[in-house]
Amino acid sequence: MSELLNVTIRDRICQILLNRPEKKNALTLAMYEALTQALVSADADPGVRVILLGSTSDSFCSGNDIADFIAASSRPDAVAAPLAFLQTIASLAKPVMAVVPGAAVGIGTTLLLHCDLVIASDQARFQLPFARLGLVPEGGSSLLFPQLVGHRRAFELLVMGESFSAATARELGLINRVVMLQSLQDLAMLEAGKLAALAPEAVRLSKAMLRSHTQSQLEAVLVAEVEQFASRLGSAEAAEALQAFMEKREPDFSRF
Ligand code: COA
């Protein structure tokens, strides 16, 4: 198993932990591929009842690796691995819990829309900086956020793109619970244990039922978003924003 992912199975809980602390768990193409593989294996493993997605460090996931975004601007097929990951997490039969200790940015936030239970620490910060990066929403968020919070709040989150706290994320319905950082792991394991003890088929059928009403629409939206996203990666606006991130400066969109 990739060292950028830490996967363990204990007490019918498969823990998949992102492990790239020096880059705040920014996702590379290799990490998407490893994540997809780990999710598919856990979903197929009869010894697993709950999939828990978390981090080995204080950051949850700082989104797609920006250097990979820059490389992808000349290789539009580079969005295949993120798309496969999103399609996989959006179609898992088993329940998925996310445990968010700190920063959750871009896909680090949108992937939560595909989880069934989300517990975050009081230190967690969420952000969807797509438009700020000259990009467009991904991860099914153009469908699922307006459904969750209505158009105006979805616009504010996805277009204005300012970061928000765990308390706000809970108020929006993006996460279930906020707990102190030092209790996060224990509480997450307690909740995962409760979920793993429930009747597994009833849990899976209930999950499928809850998702069934939007599933086919979501599948189409995931593909349509990624197509627009790939084309935006080649735009001059995105080039300016991504370069600005690498140079640790604010982007300048005044010439557009
Ligand atoms: N891609 C590539 N590198 C990233 C990254 C990303 N998405 N997120 C963070 N990093 C790198 C930083 O460049 C820095 O690298 P360096 O040590 O070589 O300079 C390192 O990770 C630590 O990040 P830093 O910004 O110093 O940490 P922080 O605690 O001050 O802030 C974040 C953490 C996550 C809030 C901040 O890094 C951030 O906003 N990242 C960008 C997120 C983003 O825009 N993602 C794409 C969404 S579509």
Side-chain angles (χ1 to χ4, degrees):
M1 187 51 64
S2 154
E3 60 192 21
L4 296 171
L5 271 195
N6 195 326
V7 183
T8 53
I9 299 176
R10 224 180 68 199
D11 299 334
R12 295 176 292 194
I13 300 163
C14 177
Q15 274 205 78
I16 303 174
L17 304 181
L18 299 173
N19 186 32
R20 196 187 177 208
E22 71 286 3
K23 295 291 179 188
K24 307 285 173 183
N25 289 335
L27 296 175
T28 61
L29 294 181
M31 285 169 82
Y32 282 117
E33 282 164 9
L35 262 174
T36 302
Q37 181 59 48
L39 290 173
V40 168
S41 300
D43 212 37
D45 185 338
V48 171
R49 289 193 182 176
V50 177
I51 300 169
L52 191 151
L53 209 50
S55 165
T56 58
S57 63
D58 62 356
S59 180
F60 179 63
C61 172
S62 62
N64 203 103
D65 187 281
I66 302 270
D68 271 13
F69 266 165
I70 292 172
S73 61
S74 54
R75 276 188 51 214
D77 65 311
V79 291
L83 177 59
F85 162 69
L86 287 165
Q87 289 170 324
T88 300
I89 194 168
S91 61
L92 294 170
K94 291 180 183 168
V96 183
M97 261 185 77
V99 183
V100 182
V105 186
I107 198 166
T109 290
T110 58
L111 72 80
L112 302 176
L113 294 165
H114 307 289
C115 297
D116 303 294
L117 279 173
V118 184
I119 304 183
S121 93
D122 55 342
Q123 308 295 307
R125 299 286 305 174
F126 303 81
Q127 189 177 15
L128 298 153
F130 303 120
R132 287 171 170 238
L133 290 170
L135 300 169
V136 288
E138 43 74 320
S141 60
S142 65
L143 172 70
L144 299 175
F145 263 118
Q147 273 183 359
L148 184 68
V149 299
H151 174 81
R152 268 153 298 281
R153 286 202 289 179
F155 183 91
E156 189 178 353
L157 296 171
L158 290 165
V159 178
M160 302 300 281
E162 286 172 7
S163 81
F164 53 97
S165 67
T168 301
R170 184 168 185 280
E171 186 244 321
L172 294 169
L174 177 64
I175 66 174
N176 295 83
R177 290 176 70 177
V178 186
V179 301
M180 301 287 279
L181 180 59
Q182 51 274 34
S183 330
L184 181 66
Q185 188 58 20
D186 287 351
L187 250 144
M189 292 316 287
L190 193 74
E191 292 301 316
K194 284 190 213 165
L195 192 48
L198 289 172
E201 195 177 342
V203 170
R204 288 198 287 275
L205 286 171
S206 303
K207 170 169 175 160
M209 211 180 261
L210 288 167
R211 294 281 165 114
S212 64
H213 313 289
T214 45
Q215 195 62 24
S216 61
Q217 198 185 359
L218 175 60
E219 282 163 18
V221 167
L222 286 175
V223 173
E225 283 177 346
V226 157
E227 280 169 4
Q228 278 209 52
F229 200 94
S231 122
R232 286 304 299 173
L233 281 171
S235 70
E237 289 178 2
E240 162 58 15
L242 298 174
Q243 206 51 48
F245 177 82
M246 298 307 277
E247 292 166 8
K248 299 189 188 291
R249 62 172 172 83
E250 286 300 311
D252 175 6
F253 298 122
S254 61
R255 70 179 184 279
F256 298 111

